[in-house]
Amino acid sequence: MAENKKQEGRIEPYHHAAAGWGALKYVAINLFKERVSGVNYKSLFAQNQPDGFDCPGCAWPDREHASTFEFCENGVKAVAAESTSKRVTPDFFAAHTVTELLQQSDYELEQHGRLTHPMVYDPASDKYAPIAWDDAFKLIAEELNALDDPNQAAFYTSGRASNEAAFLYQLFVRAYGTNNFPDCSNMCHEATSRGLPGTVGIGKGTVTLDDFEHADTLLIFGQNPATNHPRMLGELRDCAKRGATIVSINPLRERGLERFTSPQHPMEMLTMASTPISSMFVQPKLSGDLALIKAMAKRLLELDDRAVLIGMKRLLDIDFITEHTTGFQEFARDLRAEKWSVLLEESGVPRAQIDELVDIYVRGERVIATWGMGLTQHKNSVATIQMLSNLMLMRGNIGRQGAGLCPVRGHSNVQGDRTMGIEEQPTPAFLDRMQQVFGFEPPRHHGYDVVATIAAMQEGRVKVFVGLGGNFAMATPDTPLTFKALESCALTVQIATKLNRSHLIHGRKALILPTLGRTEIDAQNGVPQGVTVEDSMSMVHISYGLNKPASPELLSEIAIVSRMAEATLGGASQLKWQAYRDDYAVIRDDIEKVFDDFYDYNERVAKPGGFHLKVASREREWATTSGKAQFVPHQIELDTPIRRARAKYGKQLMVMMTTRSHDQYNTTIYALDDRYRGVFGMRRVIFINQADIDMLGMKAGDWVDVESVWEDGVARRADGFMLVAYDIPRGCIGAYYPETNPLVPLGSVADGAGTPTSKSIPVLLTPAAAS
Ligand SMILES: Nc1nc2c(c(=O)[nH]1)N[C@H]1C(S)=C(S)[C@@H](COP(=O)(O)OP(=O)(O)OC[C@H]3O[C@@H](n4cnc5c(=O)[nH]c(N)nc54)[C@H](O)[C@@H]3O)O[C@H]1N2
Ligand SMILES: Nc1nc2c(c(=O)[nH]1)N[C@H]1C(S)=C(S)[C@@H](COP(=O)(O)OP(=O)(O)OC[C@H]3O[C@@H](n4cnc5c(=O)[nH]c(N)nc54)[C@H](O)[C@@H]3O)O[C@H]1N2
Ligand SMILES: [Mo]
């Protein structure tokens, strides 16, 4: 790939607070110089307003969707990227073969702008050519209906699809006959969605924004909000100003979590003042959180024992534990039996710091624990999240004001898509309801997630791939193998707003179907339609686009899905596809029939701010098998691929995390800077401890090649990365995704969640081969 060349850039450590003028400068550039064309600047200020659109930037909630304009660099970038004046037209495709386009970097592909016409791949010219919408749907129908079995098709979803689009998509796919729903969530918060039901009964967070106003202690695990959830940082600033204690648990010392200047507060901007955010920074080893949290629980238990002995107030919330939980005795037994030496060794955190952390935890009357990808993309992720839930249960920190679990999701509607049934492991109750409402027998056996889909393609068991958004080829692990898998398909269909590499890594037949973005007016028969989304705190609200569509040819996702369904299912389908796309309220009426919690959907979503979906655990109702919240003990696994690799290669073995830079949105590269980490104009870097650079006999600024160590005999490498000395534990390194995805073995996944372990890849570094 074109990116495999050395980039010219500079490293310049960042000494300012996060956000502030740097962020404002970025917005100014985006607004006035670079790309926004539609001249509807209003749209930039309409994100997350009661009558505007839901920000496509991230899933962090808004204050009732009703506050004054909330400035967010992330949101502006996402909106600007969607509102670009540049277009990828049939002329553009006529001028470039696919082979030529493949030479361009992801950054270059993104810069070409918005897709304007449905296109079909022509093997004779190796180019995409225009195709009429009807013919595109006919082609899809033919290929789907030619399969021996509906399970030979897989239907991917990225987390921007609205509730309505996602609901229709799953309705179509289940009526067609499969549960093969790989989705971006499989690579994201799957460990949360699979872990929490076993402890608190539902795989969602238990807090709302109001709880942040009452929390006195916040534990931020494995998250980089300054870059990925800037509005969360605003919330943390307010907590810090109120005197709340904020602890950051992250191997990499993220500068953006240290200080924050609020663009919402003119005085901070004018006086260059900033608010310190984290009062304490704990740096576990990569994947060391399970041991760290277990160590916290053990220490808490020991302190409680001591309190009992000397007749002081208990540190455990005994009333809560007795009334609301099961499994505590067994959990406590396991904690007592666990060796401190193992916990210290595996977490990489010194005992004194663990004690200090537990002091902070028990001083907190109302504690919120938040987490991101730093906890979810490891082999032990499900266990880690359950252990965090255990720790919170010990002091009754779930289901009361100012306290709770707060997984911070990524894509703006990734949580809603799962609620709507984008789920390869649907429950029997949900399928029964689908059958009752729609009158067909949905498939009952579980389908493929992302990793299983790729494996099935490799083995020829999946032959048709449809992507509702996203960039499957780049977001997924084991890039060269995944490319081959996609190329082996009979048909690949990509429904997208902008050109990306997944459109170029295609099956024998291939379609690119351009769609409206959320910022654009979606009029059906002249009537503007709204779509609904659910944020990370289970608030559901409606979103209306304001901008003129990028091209008159674009269809909404709902129109595409419903017409694909009509073409494929034909007369046999009794479903009212036409009515759905004519009026999205009709889709909501049917959603309400399937999900009781969506009662009076249209009425409730019409209110400013929308409504909160009930999260039972928030109300201390436990939808678990026992009807109570469950303590779940977990062993620290000592025979893991990483430990085996370390035994073999010693100190040379590095564990690599792959993460986001400031100027990217997942696989979309907006620009080449990572402001808070001090990287400018380049992406091929490795953050590494200076002592490890010395150990390798190299210097900061030297270039290395990276090879992953896995036990399946496949050579995986990514070459040409510059070493950057950084505050990160020894033996741990960081680099950006997607460039490093060729290093993630497909078979390396989170136990019980199937998430690729993209934050803990065992690798070796060698001096770069001369280039
Ligand atoms: N600007 C921007 N915003 C985004 C996105 C984007 O790409 N760009 N992506 C969106 C999406 S889909 C998502 S899921 C979210 C992702 O947002 P985050 O969850 O913040 O994801 P990452 O950037 O991958 O970084 C996670 C953090 O985890 C830390 N970490 C890595 N390994 C470990 C570990 O073993 N333990 C601990 N404690 N920490 C660890 C890293 O140092 C890093 O600070 O952001 C969303 N918002
Ligand atoms: N190594 C490594 N791999 C990772 C991660 C990691 O941290 N490390 N993170 C994982 C995570 S958390 C996630 S969520 C996935 C992300 O995986 P994806 O969701 O597949 O990837 P994105 O980059 O978000 O998708 C961007 C594309 O979506 C299309 N798009 C944008 N808006 C719309 C829209 O409104 N409608 C439609 N139809 N298309 C649209 C555009 O064409 C754009 O090119 O990547 C995962 N992969
Ligand atoms: Mo994500």
Side-chain angles (χ1 to χ4, degrees), residues 57-58 74 77 188-189 221-225 227-229 249-252 254 284-289 371-375 377-378 408-411 657-662 664-666 670 677 737 759:
C58 76
N74 215 5
K77 284 176 183 172
C188 189
H189 263 290
F221 284 91
Q223 236 198 303
N224 183 20
T227 285
N228 296 322
H229 303 93
I249 298 108
N250 196 317
L252 193 102
E254 297 283 18
K285 294 200 284 205
L286 284 169
S287 221
D289 302 82
W371 67 95
M373 297 299 98
L375 290 201
Q377 297 174 331
H378 301 281
V408 182
R409 311 241 172 205
H411 271 299
M657 66 148 141
T658 60
T659 183
R660 292 152 173 79
S661 76
H662 194 68
Q664 78 182 80
Y665 194 90
N666 299 335
Y670 298 131
R677 300 197 191 105
Y737 116 92
K759 298 257 190 299

Side-chain angles (χ1 to χ4, degrees), residues 297 327-335 387 390 394 631-633:
F328 181 71
Q329 292 312 331
E330 199 191 328
F331 173 65
R333 234 184 338 267
D334 178 62
L335 286 181
M387 194 56 73
N390 292 334
M394 287 171 90
F631 282 95
V632 184

Side-chain angles (χ1 to χ4, degrees), residues 104-183:
Q104 301 193 4
S105 68
D106 293 327
Y107 170 62
E108 288 165 314
L109 292 177
E110 157 71 13
Q111 299 302 314
H112 295 305
R114 290 287 300 276
L115 297 158
T116 61
H117 286 72
M119 306 296 292
V120 64
Y121 181 66
D122 169 36
S125 61
D126 184 33
K127 288 178 180 172
Y128 273 100
I131 180 172
W133 279 108
D134 275 340
D135 294 337
F137 296 128
K138 209 167 128 223
L139 175 63
I140 296 171
E142 275 165 16
E143 292 292 327
L144 285 176
N145 289 324
L147 297 175
D148 305 327
D149 177 342
N151 294 311
Q152 291 176 340
F155 297 83
Y156 180 63
T157 316
S158 173
R160 274 197 195 174
S162 63
N163 281 355
E164 291 78 2
F167 184 80
L168 284 196
Y169 194 50
Q170 66 82 31
L171 176 62
F172 157 51
V173 171
R174 294 203 160 98
Y176 168 68
T178 180
N179 285 314
N180 286 345
F181 285 108
D183 80 319

Side-chain angles (χ1 to χ4, degrees), residues 555-596:
L555 292 185
S556 70
E557 291 182 343
I558 287 162
I560 293 174
V561 169
S562 60
R563 287 178 63 178
M564 193 157 65
E566 264 171 352
T568 307
L569 304 174
S573 161
Q574 299 298 308
L575 304 167
K576 47 190 182 208
W577 302 110
Q578 173 85 44
Y580 288 142
R581 67 174 170 270
D582 284 349
D583 180 0
Y584 299 176
V586 176
I587 311 177
R588 288 187 286 275
D589 282 340
D590 278 1
I591 291 176
E592 176 179 331
K593 291 181 194 148
V594 176
F595 303 106
D596 293 338

